[in-house]
Amino acid sequence: MKEHLIEILYTGYRINLLLEELEEKGIQIDSNKLDTSNWNVVVDIVGFPKDNSAETLMEHYKNEENTNEDPFVDNSELFCRDWLFNDYFDCVESLKKEQDIYFKDDLLKTRVRHNEVEIKKVLSQHIDWLRVEFKKYNSED
C-alpha cells in the first residue's frame, strides 16, 4: 500500500514541477481549473478527516454576525490540515534539483534533472510521518 501512496505523491510532485517549468517559460495555466492535490488523496487514505476549517469558521462567523459576544469556535468540530501539509512542503522544498551540462550544436546547454530515487525516499519518509501523526491524532480522541 505504501508504494502506491508514494506513486500518488510522486505523480502530483511531477505535475507541479511541470507547471512550474511552464510558468518559468512564460506559459500561464489557470491552476484553478486543475486539481493537482494528490497530497489530499494520500492524507484521505491515511485516514485524516477532511479539512473543514474554512467552512467551520465561515459558518461560525456568519452565525455570530449580529452579536457582540467574543467569537468562540468549538474545536471538536474543527479540523485543519495545514500542519500536515507544512511537513510535506518542507520535505519537497528540501529536495535539490540536479543540473546536467552538455554540448549540443556547439552550444553549452543545461537541463534540470530530478533524482527519482531521492524524491521517492523523501515522499516515503513523509508517509511514515503521516502515519505516526495519525496514530497520535487517534489516541487523543
Side-chain angles (χ1 to χ4, degrees):
M1 172 71 123
K2 183 177 177 182
E3 297 80 25
H4 299 295
L5 297 178
I6 292 169
E7 286 301 321
I8 291 169
L9 286 179
Y10 183 64
T11 300
Y13 176 82
R14 289 180 45 218
I15 290 169
N16 287 326
L17 282 178
L18 176 63
L19 292 174
E20 287 175 17
E21 288 175 17
L22 290 173
E23 190 173 303
E24 287 173 7
K25 294 178 181 182
I27 301 170
Q28 297 294 321
I29 295 179
D30 183 6
S31 59
N32 292 331
K33 295 180 182 178
L34 294 174
D35 185 7
T36 60
S37 58
N38 288 13
W39 179 82
N40 279 317
V41 173
V42 169
V43 175
D44 288 345
I45 293 170
V46 170
F48 284 100
K50 296 278 187 202
D51 188 321
N52 66 354
S53 56
E55 297 85 12
T56 302
L57 292 173
M58 290 300 288
E59 185 65 30
H60 173 74
Y61 284 110
K62 187 170 104 179
N63 292 338
E64 298 292 324
E65 208 170 65
N66 299 323
T67 68
N68 291 329
E69 298 176 18
D70 287 336
F72 173 77
V73 176
D74 182 6
N75 286 337
S76 66
E77 297 175 12
L78 182 71
F79 189 82
C80 182
R81 287 182 170 180
D82 288 355
W83 60 285
L84 300 169
F85 186 76
N86 289 342
D87 182 74
Y88 172 75
F89 182 80
D90 291 344
C91 289
V92 169
E93 284 297 306
S94 72
L95 293 168
K96 304 289 185 226
K97 295 177 184 173
E98 300 174 7
Q99 197 168 42
D100 292 329
I101 299 173
Y102 62 98
F103 279 102
K104 182 176 181 182
D105 301 325
D106 293 333
L107 295 173
L108 187 62
K109 300 204 174 223
T110 63
R111 170 180 43 224
V112 175
R113 177 174 34 91
H114 303 278
N115 185 336
E116 181 179 342
V117 173
E118 184 63 26
I119 293 167
K120 287 184 177 182
K121 178 180 162 192
V122 167
L123 295 176
S124 174
Q125 291 168 349
H126 176 65
I127 291 168
D128 291 340
W129 180 84
L130 283 174
R131 287 181 170 164
V132 168
E133 292 302 310
F134 183 70
K135 286 178 186 173
K136 288 181 196 175
Y137 170 75
N138 271 343
S139 69
E140 292 173 3
D141 290 343

